[in-house]
Amino acid sequence: MNGNFQDIVAIKELLKKYPKGLSITEISSALHLHRNTSAKYLDMLKLKGDIDRKEIGAAKNYSLVRRMPVSTLLHFCLHPAIVLDGRSEVVMVNAEALSLLACPLDVIYGAGVKDIPLSLFKDPEVGTRCHDAVQGVRSRAEVQTVVGGKRLRLTVHYLPVVFDTGRDGCALVLVDETACRQAAEERDLCRKRYLALIADQTEFVAHIRPDMT
């Protein structure tokens, strides 16, 4: 078992040196591993989301990437999340996302991300970022949108993910920062009003804490 772990670590360390990736033949030759052994470890790493596999002609090219397994994401993520497959079609949505977007599952499920009937998804940048995430590029964007007459301020995280089948996809994690942003703006407004109040003040100003000290 220890030998297996060392071989897996060796494969990852080797791929770090070759950002463009290596074929299974090159990996086996460099690490003096049997081709079948290398294939087994590479499949394990692919399912874990540690590497990407792309076909170049008849050969398969392997490179390092950081993908989150979909099952792990949905189990631990507390924020609204929408999972897309490699064609940018919705295949999973958690209850938090349905609640935030005030949209039933049958409207979202199976739709292409650009076809979701909500203003948030009409920006062409959303489709571009989803495509990039499927390719392994993580990003995030701060957006404002209106849902059910309420203005929301969201941070959208575009995450590369991997399904249990080994196929690539992406997840949109929607972090609602509306209340936090509003509180920060109200705090800044109060600070500006306070500074304006004392700017021309000639009297002493006493600051009293809630405990009256």
Side-chain angles (χ1 to χ4, degrees):
M1 186 68 179
N2 187 47
N4 294 353
F5 176 75
Q6 291 178 347
D7 289 339
I8 290 174
V9 171
I11 290 174
K12 294 174 69 174
E13 290 298 322
L14 177 65
L15 291 177
K16 281 183 182 179
K17 301 176 183 178
Y18 297 90
K20 294 184 178 180
L22 295 171
S23 69
I24 190 170
T25 300
E26 292 170 326
I27 294 170
S28 300
S29 176
L31 299 178
H32 306 291
L33 295 173
H34 191 279
R35 182 184 177 87
N36 291 342
T37 302
S38 296
K40 179 180 71 174
Y41 294 151
L42 289 167
D43 285 342
M44 291 170 58
L45 290 169
K46 180 70 174 70
L47 289 173
K48 287 177 59 183
D50 289 338
I51 64 171
D52 258 354
R53 178 178 60 212
K54 296 181 179 179
E55 294 188 6
I56 302 177
K60 294 178 180 178
N61 191 68
Y62 296 86
S63 58
L64 278 183
V65 72
R66 293 302 301 169
R67 291 184 182 274
M68 180 175 290
V70 170
S71 56
T72 301
L73 172 72
L74 295 179
H75 182 74
F76 290 104
C77 183
L78 302 178
H79 297 289
I82 300 174
V83 180
L84 313 176
D85 61 15
R87 297 176 297 180
S88 292
E89 294 180 354
V90 179
V91 292
M92 296 180 186
V93 186
N94 65 7
E96 290 78 6
L98 296 176
S99 176
L100 176 70
L101 300 176
C103 190
L105 178 62
D106 58 357
V107 172
I108 299 178
Y109 184 79
V113 67
K114 297 179 181 179
D115 299 324
I116 298 176
L118 294 169
S119 60
L120 171 63
F121 303 98
K122 298 306 178 184
D123 186 343
E125 184 178 321
V126 173
T128 300
R129 287 181 180 271
C130 287
H131 175 270
D132 291 345
V134 171
Q135 300 303 314
V137 180
R138 178 175 180 170
S139 65
R140 73 174 187 174
E142 295 183 356
V143 300
Q144 295 188 41
T145 188
V146 176
V147 175
K150 180 181 178 181
R151 180 168 294 279
L152 300 178
R153 303 172 75 170
L154 309 173
T155 297
V156 183
H157 296 264
Y158 298 83
L159 306 179
V161 298
V162 60
F163 293 93
D164 293 341
T165 59
R167 293 185 177 275
D168 299 332
C170 82
L172 281 68
V173 177
L174 313 175
V175 181
D176 185 3
E177 298 186 355
T178 306
C180 181
R181 297 285 183 83
Q182 289 177 345
E185 290 173 355
E186 291 174 2
R187 179 200 61 202
D188 292 342
L189 179 59
C190 288
R191 181 181 291 117
K192 289 179 181 179
R193 287 176 175 173
Y194 170 74
L195 293 175
L197 177 66
I198 66 173
D200 300 320
Q201 182 62 258
T202 58
E203 306 291 338
F204 287 106
V205 176
H207 296 268
I208 302 177
R209 297 190 179 94
D211 61 0
M212 303 305 292
T213 59

